[in-house]
Amino acid sequence: MVRKLPIAIKSSWKFTYFMCGIVGYIGKQKAAPLILEGLKRLEYRGYDSAGIAVFQDGSFDIAKKVGRVSALEKEVPRYRLVGTCGMGHTRWATHGSITDANAHPHLSYDGKVALTHNGVIENYASIKKFLITKGHTFRSETDTEVLCNLIAYHYAKQAGLAGENRFVTAVRKSLHHTQGTYGIVAMNVDAPGELVTARKGSPLVFGIGEGESLVASDVSAIVSRTQNVVYLKNGEIAHLTLKNFSITTLDADEVSPVIDRVCWSIVSAELGAYHHFMEKEIFEQPAALKNTMRGRFSEDGSTALFGGLNVTANEFSGIERLMFCACGTALHACLVTEHLIESFARIPVECDYASEFRYRNAPLARNTLFFVMSQSGETIDTLAAMREAKRKGYRVLAINNVVGSSIAREADGGIYQHVGPEIGVASTKAFTSQLLLGAMLALYLARMRDMSFGSGVRYVEALKGAPDLVRKVLEQAPHIKKIAQRFAHSTDMLFLGRMSLFHIALEGALKLKETSYLHAEGYPAAEMKHGPIALISETCPSVFFAPAGEIFNKIVSSMQEIKARRGPIIAILSEGGELPPGLADEVIIIPECHEAVLPIVASVPVQLLSYYIAAERGCDIDKPRNLAKSVTVE
Ligand code: AGP
C-alpha cells in the first residue's frame, strides 16, 4: 500500500555518518545542482571520486570523476544533466582502485538500471561469475556494478509484473542474494521520477519536501530542503515517487513509517565564520560540554543522573567490573574513563580496541558491565565488539553522539552526547564530551560506593565549571598558533604525559598525525626513556603535560632528560606552575582544575596545536588524506 502524506511527525534530531555518501532527488527542480550541493555536505564520508546520474529523455546521463566533488562539478557542464530525478555519490574506495570507471553511479550492461551503493557486497565475485554466464558485461572492478547488474537481471526476469512492483521486486530479489552491507539508491529507466532505496548496515534517510523527495546517507545533505525525514531501518526498502512513498521489508511486508522532525537547521552543519569544521568544533566545545551535562545532575547536586541506561541503581551497585571498547579517539576517552572510575569508584575497568576485542575471545567476569563509545555509532569494529559481548550474554551500554545510530539501536541502554553534528574528520568536541560523560559515570559509580556527599558536590561543581575553563584555554588560540607556526615543519613530535594525561598525550599524537601527516607519538612521560628518546633531536619537539600535582617534579625530570639531548620542549603547565629557567622553549598555561576536569581542559591546547600545525602545512584539515569520518569496513 502506498502511504500519502502527512503522517504523524515525531520531534527529535538525528545525524548519521558512514563511509561513502549518497544523495538522490526527485522533484520539479533540476536535480544535478541539488545533488552536487548534497554531495558537498557528505564529502567528509569519502572523497576519492564522485559521480552523478540524471534521468532524461529515456536514459541516464552519467558524469563521474576521480577526486573531490568540486572536480565533478567542473565536469558537469560537459553534460546536459537537466532532468529532475537523479542521484549522486562520493566514494571512499573499497573494491576497485580510484578511477573514473570505478566511481558511482554504475549502470547495468543493458542501460536499464543505475545504482549508487555504500557498503561492501561480500559475495560479489560469485554473483559476477553467474552474471557473466548470462551474458552480462562489466566496465568496472566494483562490487556495486555487480549488484546493479543483478538488479537488471531480476528486472528482466520480472517482465510479467507491472510498473513499480517490477522494479521494487527486482531490487528485493537481488538483495536477498547478497551478503554484506549496503545502502543503495537505484533508478530504473522504465520508471522515470522514481527512486528505490534500501539499507542493511549502511544508513539512509529520506526527506519529504514540498513536491519533492530526497534521499541521502545523512540528513545534513537534505536538511536545507526539508526537516521531515524517515530513517530507513536495516532490511527495509523504500519506493519514492514525486507524490508518495512506501516502505516494505525484504520479505515484502509493509512497514508503517515514522516521520521524524530534524530539530537542527542547516546552520549547525555550516562553517559560518570559521575556516574549517575542525576549528569550528574546537571553539564549540564550551557549548557542547554544557549540552552534554544539561539535566544530568541530581537535585542535591552530588551525583550524576542518566536517563537511558536501563540499569537500576541496585543492579549498578552489584557490578564488579567494567569493560570499555572503542576505536581511535573514542578509545582514548575510554582510557581516561578507566582512570577516573578506578581512582574515584574503585571498580576495576578494562579497555580494549574494539577491533582486537571482537576476535580475541576475552574471558569476562560474569558481573561485568560492557560499554562501547562511538561518536558516529556506526564504526564497524565497535559494532562487532558490542555484538560479540551481547552474544556472550553481557549487557551492553553505549556512549554515542548520533541519535538513532546502529550502535544506539542495538545497545541495551546508553547515554547520548548531545553535541550536535561533528563534521570534521578529526574528532574534537565529541571527544571532550566523551571525557565529560566518562567523568560523570565515574562520579555516579563513586557516589554509590565510598564517595562522600561533600566530595560529590565538589566534583559536580568542578564539572559544571568545565565549559568556562575550556573557554579560557581557547582564549590562548593566538599564542598556540604562533607555537604551531614555529614547530610546523618538525620531523616528529612526542606527546608526553602521566596518569590520565598519558591518554591525552595519545590523543594529541593521533590528532596531529591525522590532520598534519606529521609523525607523532604519545607516550607515558617516564616511559619515554625506554625507547622514544632515541627520536629526540632539534627537529623533534616534545609536548609535555605538566599540570600541578604530586608528580609535577617527576615530569620536570623527564623534561630535563629531553633538554639534555637538545630536544625542544612545549610545556603545558597549570596556572602558577614554574619550570627551571630555559627548560621549556614554549609554555601554554591551562587553569588549575579538578582531576576529573583536567583531561578535558588539557585536550584543548593539543587540539589547537594540531589544527594550526595542519593549517601551516597547508593540509586538507577537514578531509585528511586516506581517512573517512567513520570507519565502517574492516
Ligand atoms: C578521530 O579523530 C578519528 N578520526 C578516529 O580515530 C575516530 O575517533 C574513530 O574512527 C572512532 O570513530 P567513532 O567514534 O565514530 O566510533
Side-chain angles (χ1 to χ4, degrees), residues 483-493 516 518 538-541 612-619:
I483 300 175
Q485 286 164 342
R486 176 172 173 189
F487 292 107
H489 299 287
S490 306
T491 51
D492 313 82
M493 202 174 273
S516 70
L518 199 165
E538 282 166 5
T539 61
C540 173
Y612 289 123
I613 288 179
E616 187 65 19
R617 289 165 70 97
C619 295

Side-chain angles (χ1 to χ4, degrees), residues 357 370 384-396 409-412:
F357 176 83
F370 199 98
M386 167 179 183
R387 288 176 182 157
E388 182 63 14
K390 287 189 89 170
R391 197 172 299 123
K392 289 182 168 167
Y394 293 92
R395 194 182 288 204
V396 181
R409 276 199 306 271
E410 290 189 29
D412 297 305

Side-chain angles (χ1 to χ4, degrees), residues 458-473:
R458 281 190 292 280
Y459 194 120
V460 169
E461 283 311 309
L463 293 182
K464 286 186 177 167
D468 284 337
L469 300 186
V470 166
R471 202 168 286 118
K472 271 190 162 181
V473 182

Side-chain angles (χ1 to χ4, degrees), residues 17 326-332 373-380 382 400 407 417 422 424-428 430 434 507 510-511 514 627-631:
Y17 298 105
C327 299
T329 288
L331 182 72
H332 299 152
M373 272 199 209
S374 173
Q375 187 287 128
S376 62
E378 303 290 350
T379 302
I380 197 76
T382 310
N400 169 222
I407 286 178
Q417 298 181 228
E422 187 181 70
V425 164
S427 181
T428 51
Q434 286 165 347
E507 174 60 8
L510 174 64
K511 216 84 302 173
E514 68 179 334
L627 290 175
K629 180 68 181 162
S630 171
V631 181

Side-chain angles (χ1 to χ4, degrees), residues 1-3 168-169 172 176 232-239 246-257:
M1 187 194 98
V2 167
R3 283 182 191 273
V168 176
T169 304
R172 184 179 294 116
H176 265 298
L232 213 57
K233 298 200 182 77
N234 276 331
E236 289 183 349
I237 302 177
H239 179 219
S246 61
I247 306 178
T248 49
T249 65
L250 279 185
D251 295 325
D253 295 328
E254 271 176 40
V255 174
S256 294

Side-chain angles (χ1 to χ4, degrees), residues 402-525:
V402 177
V403 178
S405 67
S406 301
I407 286 178
R409 276 199 306 271
E410 290 189 29
D412 297 305
I415 311 170
Y416 277 127
Q417 298 181 228
H418 296 310
V419 299
E422 187 181 70
I423 292 169
V425 164
S427 181
T428 51
K429 65 175 179 176
F431 175 62
T432 47
S433 150
Q434 286 165 347
L435 294 176
L436 177 58
L437 287 173
M440 291 169 73
L441 194 60
L443 166 69
Y444 180 68
L445 293 166
R447 286 285 290 129
M448 284 179 173
R449 288 169 168 78
D450 294 331
M451 186 187 272
S452 68
F453 174 80
S455 303
V457 169
R458 281 190 292 280
Y459 194 120
V460 169
E461 283 311 309
L463 293 182
K464 286 186 177 167
D468 284 337
L469 300 186
V470 166
R471 202 168 286 118
K472 271 190 162 181
V473 182
L474 290 171
E475 284 165 11
Q476 295 185 62
H479 170 56
I480 296 173
K481 186 175 183 178
K482 282 195 187 126
I483 300 175
Q485 286 164 342
R486 176 172 173 189
F487 292 107
H489 299 287
S490 306
T491 51
D492 313 82
M493 202 174 273
L494 292 185
F495 288 78
L496 302 164
R498 298 191 72 161
M499 321 278 271
S500 64
L501 298 192
F502 156 48
H503 310 303
I504 303 304
L506 292 176
E507 174 60 8
L510 174 64
K511 216 84 302 173
L512 186 65
K513 275 185 279 204
E514 68 179 334
T515 56
S516 70
Y517 320 143
L518 199 165
H519 168 243
E521 284 190 40
Y523 243 77

